[in-house]
Amino acid sequence: MRVTVLAGGTGSIKLIRGLDKCPDLDISVISNVGDNIWIHGLYVCPDIDIVMYGLAGILNQKQGWGIQGDTFNFMAQAEAYRRDTWFKLGDMDLATHIVRTELLEEGLNLTEITRQLSKTLGIRHKIVPATNNSLQTFVRNAKEEVHLQEFWVKGKGRGVVKDVVYRGARTAKITPEVDQAIESADLILILPANPITSIGPILSIPRIRKKIRASRAKCVGISPIIGNKPISGPTNKLLAALGIEVSVLGIAKLYSDVISKIFISKEDGRLNDKIRDHDVEPYTSQILMNDELQEKELAKEILKRALE
Ligand code: FO1
């Protein structure tokens, strides 16, 4: 079975790992690129790297990003030179960004570079960036627009949020690899990830959204919210800033043009009828994944029930 997933980073890797343990699955991960950032002259792609490291078994799971056991000698020296050090790059992680930047300079596109890096890390599934073009998520506060990483990591998500802007989305092109991943899918999953900063940039590319809507495959969401709490990250503030209800109902509404089903927590079951009003069928399940067994159990359940 071919499963194509739309993914962010920290919130999504658990379910990707669960799917990876299910037999006979050919998985394509369409990866968010909106939080990619140029820093210290290097191109850093956090969501792509979280998925790569997660599937390669080297992710720092406690932190949710970076490589397990990494050291930060480069950062310490950069600090001695009084450079900006709010975005922590580990020494082993640096190798990924250096190689990626070198290959970009040699003229390879991000899709090809990601394929080469994934292959080296022994990953058997496809990780395909949503686009090879520049698409960056900016957060508008009271006075200016700041890059998502600046808002979240440097600014710790503080301050008023007025809007979220996907710079470059309208002109970003779908790649042949993303086109193929959607076209060939038996099932498309929107993973539990920040709907504004992880899934939003992917669906903001007009051809991708259109293609998923027209796809023969069922498209199913997994809620990134339980009650009114996000599973991870700055979801609440950003949803509220965009006038979207912070609940599974808000998520179901937001994705209602692309999904036909959504997996939600048992405790949100009282919203089932309201979710159905948006032409989305809810399934209640244990969507919080605290360990690898729960990741696999949820993946198995989704594969079984999503195609019912
Ligand atoms: N997140 C942080 O909270 N602080 C960091 O210093 C940080 C550095 C970093 C370096 C490489 C990388 O791939 C990810 C990194 N992240 C860091 C995570 C990242 O900001 C976000 O979690 C993702 O962009 C959201 O998916």
Side-chain angles (χ1 to χ4, degrees):
M1 177 153 118
R2 293 201 171 99
V3 181
T4 292
V5 304
L6 272 54
T10 313
S12 306
I13 185 58
K14 294 179 177 188
L15 194 51
I16 296 177
R17 242 182 347 233
L19 289 165
D20 181 44
K21 296 204 181 81
C22 297
D24 304 323
L25 274 196
D26 179 351
I27 306 169
S28 293
V29 180
I30 300 181
S31 197
N32 173 39
V33 295
D35 55 356
N36 293 1
I37 185 166
W38 281 94
I39 197 155
H40 307 297
L42 302 173
Y43 194 49
V44 180
C45 303
D47 285 356
I48 291 176
D49 292 348
I50 290 167
V51 174
M52 268 195 335
Y53 297 159
L55 282 175
I58 57 170
L59 179 69
N60 180 333
Q61 290 196 42
K62 201 162 159 231
Q63 199 170 240
W65 50 271
I67 296 179
Q68 181 68 39
D70 213 344
T71 50
F72 288 86
N73 296 313
F74 162 78
M75 284 298 18
Q77 194 60 25
E79 195 159 341
Y81 292 134
R82 303 197 191 290
R83 307 303 295 175
D84 261 347
T85 52
W86 56 268
F87 200 68
K88 306 277 180 248
L89 299 178
D91 300 324
M92 288 191 275
D93 190 27
L94 259 184
T96 305
H97 315 312
I98 291 171
V99 171
R100 176 185 292 126
T101 308
E102 279 177 357
L103 293 174
L104 276 176
E105 280 164 4
E106 286 172 22
L108 272 67
N109 64 38
L110 189 60
T111 303
E112 175 56 20
I113 295 169
T114 307
R115 194 192 65 76
Q116 289 191 15
L117 294 173
S118 302
K119 192 172 170 220
T120 308
L121 291 174
I123 297 166
R124 61 194 169 101
H125 301 297
K126 295 186 195 81
I127 303 171
V128 288
T131 181
N132 287 324
N133 304 120
S134 169
L135 194 179
Q136 289 182 293
T137 305
F138 275 74
V139 176
R140 190 182 309 149
N141 60 31
K143 0 182 258 272
E144 58 185 345
E145 284 178 7
V146 296
H147 189 284
L148 174 69
Q149 300 294 357
E150 250 184 285
F151 163 74
W152 179 238
V153 178
K154 189 179 184 185
K156 306 201 180 331
R158 284 192 284 255
V160 188
V161 175
K162 299 263 189 200
D163 202 1
V164 177
V165 184
Y166 305 123
R167 287 192 188 169
R170 256 186 303 144
T171 50
K173 292 195 189 76
I174 191 169
T175 63
E177 292 79 4
V178 169
D179 197 81
Q180 168 72 9
I182 299 172
E183 189 91 40
S184 64
D186 298 309
L187 176 65
I188 298 172
L189 298 176
I190 299 189
L191 296 186
N194 188 315
I196 306 300
T197 60
S198 298
I199 304 300
I202 304 175
L203 290 177
S204 73
I205 299 171
R207 282 291 306 161
I208 294 189
R209 195 166 198 132
K210 209 167 154 196
K211 184 112 202 161
I212 295 176
R213 289 174 65 170
S215 163
R216 64 172 181 91
K218 276 214 167 95
C219 182
V220 175
I222 298 97
S223 177
I225 292 184
I226 297 178
N228 57 8
K229 291 201 181 68
I231 294 173
S232 69
T235 306
N236 285 20
K237 198 174 205 175
L238 299 176
L239 279 172
L242 298 183
I244 299 161
E245 187 180 310
V246 183
S247 72
V248 290
L249 189 58
I251 302 297
K253 240 174 166 172
L254 186 66
Y255 295 156
S256 60
D257 65 319
V258 280
I259 62 170
S260 56
K261 297 178 180 180
I262 189 164
F263 282 80
I264 64 173
S265 167
K266 290 187 182 105
E267 70 185 66
D268 287 318
R270 67 195 158 75
L271 291 169
N272 279 357
D273 285 342
K274 288 189 171 167
I275 292 173
R276 286 192 191 104
D277 287 345
H278 297 282
D279 262 346
V280 176
E281 185 57 31
Y283 284 132
T284 52
S285 184
Q286 164 64 33
I287 60 168
L288 194 64
M289 293 163 280
N290 289 318
D291 55 40
E292 297 204 1
L293 184 65
Q294 287 181 336
E295 293 171 4
K296 190 175 170 191
E297 286 305 312
L298 182 59
K300 265 171 41 190
E301 192 186 351
I302 290 170
L303 293 175
K304 189 164 146 247
R305 297 176 71 191
L307 293 176
E308 271 171 8

